[in-house]
Amino acid sequence: MDLEEAKELKERCTQCAAVSWGVTDEGKYYCTSCHNVTERSKEVVDTAAIPNTKIQAISRGLKRKRKLEKGWDWYVCEGFQLILCQQVEALKTLGVGPELKNDVLHSFWKRYLQKSKQAYCKNPIRTRRRKTTALEDTPSHSDWDSEPELISDFICSSFAESEAESQPDLHTQKPFPIIKAPNSAYTCSGSLDGVEYSQRKEKGIVKMTVPRTLAFCYLSLLWQREAITLSDLLRFVEEGHIPYINTFEHFPEEMKLYGRDKLIFAIESWPIYEDIYKNTIELATFLDLPRFPDITKDCYLHPDILCMKYLMEVNLPDEMHNLTCQVVKMTGIGEADFLTFDPIAKKAKTVKYDVQAIAIIIVVLKLLFLLNDNLEWSLSDIAEKYNEKNKKDKPWFDFRKWYQVMKKSIDEKKQKWEEARAKYLWKSEKPLYLSSYNRPVVYKRREVVVNLQKQFSTLIDSTPVAEKQNPSSFQFNWTEENPNRTCFHGHSLQGILKKKGQSLTTMNSLYWLSTQKFCKSHCKHVTTYEESYFSQSYQFVISLFSFLLRIKTSSLHEEVSLIEKRIFKAKYNQSKKKPSKKKIRKVK
């Protein structure tokens, strides 16, 4: 080993970023600081002293190094396509049918690439500034039948292949058969069109982002009428069951990411319900999708079924389901025309199925208990006295006791949720760097951070991280066998309802509207929510359900107001009528 012969190599070590090289007996460079042996070899002037086999081995090492440094030629849309493949595979593990990937999402993604003119068309938008002789020489076919030459065979096949078929080896896959871009595309981003994609602002084109991948998944789930709501989808993302944060870590090693790719694929915030909901409508409108399959009574997304699910979730009596069904029938929100998403309609708007079901339950609670910080406690006193005297009979529902049980459970759940968010590590194991020049520094910093974390965890003797919980549609589990938490599913509403002929009516004949006057149509919001204007019990119910869905309290309050507007049409119409102007005689 000769250190003098290695002085000509000025590159930094990929492991420790040091510039201190030596040469092994085989002619390969190694780092004297961390003893990392590279594939790069010293050039030999006198070939007579070395056998032919040694020269061939050195040559192969050089080729592998150059190929690894350069990486594949790939486009931004291919990166998003890989993310969609990861997400749909995760949905399949959650129990979603395989047709979601092969039939629905595949068709939606092809339609998006065609509409955005990135593929499946004669002249893709990313090649307009370059000479695309390969595309011009090909005969013209229909946009859907023509296979784009600029899309990698590996990524496109990931949608079409079934689970039974074997996946190609990532390390043996050939580079993409594309036309090379100018050198500036490589220096500013790992992808060929990363710089152009981040600067593109074409009117009428919906640019793909990481949050919009979830919108694609939700559109596919909605088309298939799967038993997953939007709030469930986002909760599965937060729990780590569906890839979203640092999805680029699972890209093939040959797909180099740096520079502008960091702004496109790196994300350090959780998805928000309202944002994904708006992106879903924008995507469906942009794709010109037809009317979705009807949401009928036997579908999971129907309010009758979702109301039963959320009544079980928040530990409310089963008898309330009859009242929620009556509200659904009275308001007409259970009809297929109201529930079915139609993107090509004049006002494309899909129903927030989970938020709507929760709003119906809140309206029923107001019909039963009024939630004015007075009547609910009076009814609780009556139920408590009855339950003490009749311990063998079916217990009456006690609102105060339910409040105490749910308050304790929701506080524990919130604390765990906040701690999990505070401890979450946003930095990826695969660091992203702005340019190839900064790569050694970034990797060195990442290595230092990992070592410090290991040392601190050893000093404080931290307990191992708990394993990921199995995914479930329910966040709370209420059983009769648990003595610490009372289960109210089998409790009766007899103390709250009274017989009137052959039907039952509520003891309470009063009701207050959550919104007295709605904003005009040009406003972005229908109504506003100020906590100080409402009772404590109403605030608790709103905050309980909004945390359950991970949405804002104002959004849930707005949905409650819209349900009330359908029930009490007469009151709102009466408030709109202006008083008649009477002529007044002048008195002399």
Side-chain angles (χ1 to χ4, degrees):
M1 296 181 288
D2 192 359
L3 298 178
E4 294 295 332
E5 296 179 357
K7 286 186 177 181
E8 60 186 23
L9 184 62
K10 302 298 181 181
E11 295 183 4
R12 293 181 179 272
C13 177
T14 58
Q15 298 292 333
C16 64
V19 185
S20 179
W21 299 98
V23 182
T24 64
D25 296 336
E26 297 178 353
K28 294 184 179 181
Y29 289 104
Y30 75 97
C31 179
T32 59
S33 299
C34 64
H35 302 284
N36 175 37
V37 181
T38 65
E39 293 291 336
R40 186 165 180 175
S41 304
K42 180 176 175 59
E43 295 182 1
V44 180
V45 179
D46 186 10
T47 59
I50 302 178
N52 293 332
T53 56
K54 179 67 70 174
I55 296 176
Q56 292 174 1
I58 294 174
S59 178
R60 285 198 300 270
L62 283 171
K63 287 183 178 179
R64 285 198 300 269
K65 182 65 178 178
R66 288 172 182 173
K67 181 179 179 181
L68 188 63
E69 286 179 351
K70 179 183 177 181
W72 283 348
D73 295 336
W74 62 283
Y75 287 99
V76 171
C77 64
E78 294 173 311
F80 285 119
Q81 189 161 302
L82 275 176
I83 295 175
L84 286 173
C85 288
Q86 298 172 30
Q87 292 174 345
V88 75
E89 288 296 334
L91 288 172
K92 287 169 65 176
T93 59
L94 295 176
V96 176
E99 60 274 3
L100 181 79
K101 172 185 177 181
N102 301 331
D103 300 336
V104 184
L105 187 57
H106 185 209
S107 300
F108 286 174
W109 181 242
K110 286 177 65 177
R111 193 175 183 88
Y112 172 79
L113 293 177
Q114 185 194 29
K115 286 282 186 179
S116 58
K117 299 178 182 179
Q118 298 184 66
Y120 297 99
C121 55
K122 188 175 181 180
N123 189 18
I125 191 172
R126 59 171 175 265
T127 60
R128 286 180 181 175
R129 296 182 182 178
R130 309 172 193 149
K131 296 180 179 180
T132 56
T133 55
L135 290 175
E136 291 174 359
D137 296 338
T138 57
S140 61
H141 299 285
S142 62
D143 292 337
W144 287 91
D145 296 334
S146 60
E147 193 69 22
E149 295 188 18
L150 300 181
I151 294 293
S152 69
D153 297 333
F154 163 68
I155 298 180
C156 283
S157 63
S158 59
F159 270 117
E161 289 181 352
S162 59
E163 290 184 356
E165 296 178 354
S166 59
Q167 294 286 349
D169 188 9
L170 300 181
H171 299 286
T172 59
Q173 186 70 23
K174 295 181 179 180
F176 304 148
I178 62 174
I179 302 170
K180 293 185 178 180
N183 294 330
S184 60
Y186 292 97
T187 57
C188 298
S189 66
S191 59
L192 294 180
D193 60 339
V195 178
E196 296 178 4
Y197 189 88
S198 59
Q199 296 175 350
R200 188 181 303 154
K201 293 182 180 179
E202 188 174 351
K203 188 176 181 180
I205 299 296
V206 178
K207 286 178 62 176
M208 197 61 188
T209 60
V210 177
R212 285 199 172 104
T213 58
L214 296 179
F216 260 105
C217 292
Y218 182 62
L219 274 178
S220 305
L221 292 169
L222 188 58
W223 185 275
Q224 287 295 106
R225 298 179 292 184
E226 294 286 348
I228 297 179
T229 60
L230 180 55
S231 59
D232 290 335
L233 179 68
L234 301 187
R235 182 166 56 84
F236 290 150
V237 168
E238 194 170 341
E239 293 175 355
H241 302 298
I242 298 176
Y244 181 75
I245 305 295
N246 300 330
T247 51
F248 56 85
E249 290 183 343
H250 304 287
F251 286 7
E253 187 180 358
E254 290 83 357
M255 291 179 65
K256 302 297 181 181
L257 280 85
Y258 59 86
R260 293 299 179 94
D261 300 329
K262 181 177 181 180
L263 303 177
I264 299 172
F265 294 102
I267 187 167
E268 295 185 356
S269 62
W270 297 109
I272 302 174
Y273 187 101
E274 289 295 332
D275 294 343
I276 305 301
Y277 171 77
K278 292 177 182 177
N279 287 332
T280 301
I281 298 177
E282 288 179 359
L283 272 177
T285 306
F286 174 71
L287 298 178
D288 289 332
L289 296 179
R291 178 186 168 101
F292 278 49
D294 290 347
I295 304 297
T296 55
K297 288 187 177 181
D298 57 343
C299 294
Y300 177 80
L301 299 176
H302 195 274
D304 289 346
I305 298 178
L306 282 179
C307 283
M308 173 58 77
K309 186 254 184 183
Y310 288 118
L311 286 173
M312 297 172 62
E313 181 81 60
V314 296
N315 199 14
L316 285 171
D318 299 334
E319 294 181 6
M320 286 183 61
H321 186 244
N322 294 329
L323 298 175
T324 57
C325 292
Q326 292 182 28
V327 172
V328 171
K329 186 177 181 180
M330 185 188 308
T331 54
I333 59 178
E335 302 296 331
D337 291 337
F338 178 82
L339 295 172
T340 305
F341 182 34
D342 190 3
I344 60 177
K346 290 184 179 179
K347 292 184 178 180
K349 183 179 181 182
T350 182
V351 177
K352 301 176 183 177
Y353 302 97
D354 40 11
V355 183
Q356 178 186 257
I358 292 293
I360 294 170
I361 296 176
I362 295 176
V363 169
V364 171
L365 285 173
K366 290 179 66 177
L367 288 170
L368 294 173
F369 302 100
L370 194 60
L371 301 183
N372 65 342
D373 289 341
N374 185 11
L375 181 63
E376 60 269 28
W377 310 127
S378 301
L379 294 174
S380 298
D381 294 336
I382 298 173
E384 185 179 359
K385 292 177 181 179
Y386 175 84
N387 293 335
E388 290 179 357
K389 294 179 180 180
N390 306 275
K391 294 184 178 181
K392 294 183 179 180
D393 296 340
K394 191 175 184 178
W396 287 4
F397 178 70
D398 188 344
F399 185 86
R400 182 187 289 110
K401 193 173 182 181
W402 173 81
Y403 169 83
Q404 294 171 353
V405 172
M406 292 305 301
K407 183 73 166 60
K408 182 180 179 181
S409 301
I410 203 69
D411 288 345
E412 293 175 356
K413 197 76 174 179
K414 275 186 178 180
Q415 184 178 359
K416 292 180 181 179
W417 176 72
E418 291 173 354
E419 290 177 356
R421 282 205 163 191
K423 294 178 181 178
Y424 189 82
L425 299 177
W426 293 99
K427 295 297 181 181
S428 63
E429 297 180 1
K430 180 181 178 181
L432 292 180
Y433 43 92
L434 297 178
S435 64
S436 57
Y437 177 78
N438 297 330
R439 182 178 182 274
V441 179
V442 173
Y443 272 80
K444 180 62 178 178
R445 288 178 179 174
R446 181 57 184 168
E447 184 181 357
V448 172
V449 170
V450 172
N451 291 333
L452 288 175
Q453 288 176 348
K454 291 180 180 179
Q455 293 175 9
F456 276 110
S457 61
T458 306
L459 290 173
I460 64 177
D461 192 18
S462 60
T463 57
V465 181
E467 295 183 359
K468 187 189 301 182
Q469 296 182 355
N470 295 328
S472 175
S473 298
F474 292 91
Q475 302 180 52
F476 296 98
N477 184 20
W478 307 99
T479 56
E480 298 286 351
E481 292 78 14
N482 191 349
N484 298 326
R485 298 195 302 179
T486 307
C487 180
F488 296 93
H489 291 161
H491 287 214
S492 174
L493 299 177
Q494 189 174 350
I496 309 167
L497 302 175
K498 63 179 180 180
K499 285 188 177 182
K500 189 176 181 181
Q502 296 181 351
S503 60
L504 292 173
T505 59
T506 59
M507 298 281 291
N508 168 43
S509 59
L510 302 176
Y511 193 92
W512 56 271
L513 298 174
S514 301
T515 300
Q516 298 292 335
K517 188 178 180 181
F518 289 90
C519 298
K520 296 181 180 180
S521 59
H522 62 264
C523 294
K524 292 183 179 179
H525 54 269
V526 178
T527 181
T528 56
Y529 177 68
E530 294 288 342
E531 291 186 354
S532 59
Y533 295 163
F534 299 95
S535 61
Q536 294 293 328
S537 56
Y538 180 76
Q539 291 181 34
F540 169 75
V541 171
I542 286 288
S543 61
L544 165 66
F545 283 108
S546 60
F547 174 75
L548 199 68
L549 301 182
R550 307 294 195 270
I551 61 174
K552 296 180 180 178
T553 53
S554 57
S555 300
L556 183 54
H557 173 75
E558 178 180 322
E559 195 69 27
V560 172
S561 302
L562 294 175
I563 298 294
E564 291 176 348
K565 187 178 181 181
R566 286 178 166 270
I567 298 176
F568 304 100
K569 291 181 180 179
K571 284 190 176 183
Y572 285 106
N573 293 335
Q574 188 177 0
S575 62
K576 289 181 181 179
K577 293 181 179 179
K578 296 181 180 179
S580 59
K581 296 181 180 180
K582 296 182 180 180
K583 295 182 180 180
I584 303 175
R585 293 182 180 180
K586 293 182 179 180
V587 180
K588 293 183 180 180

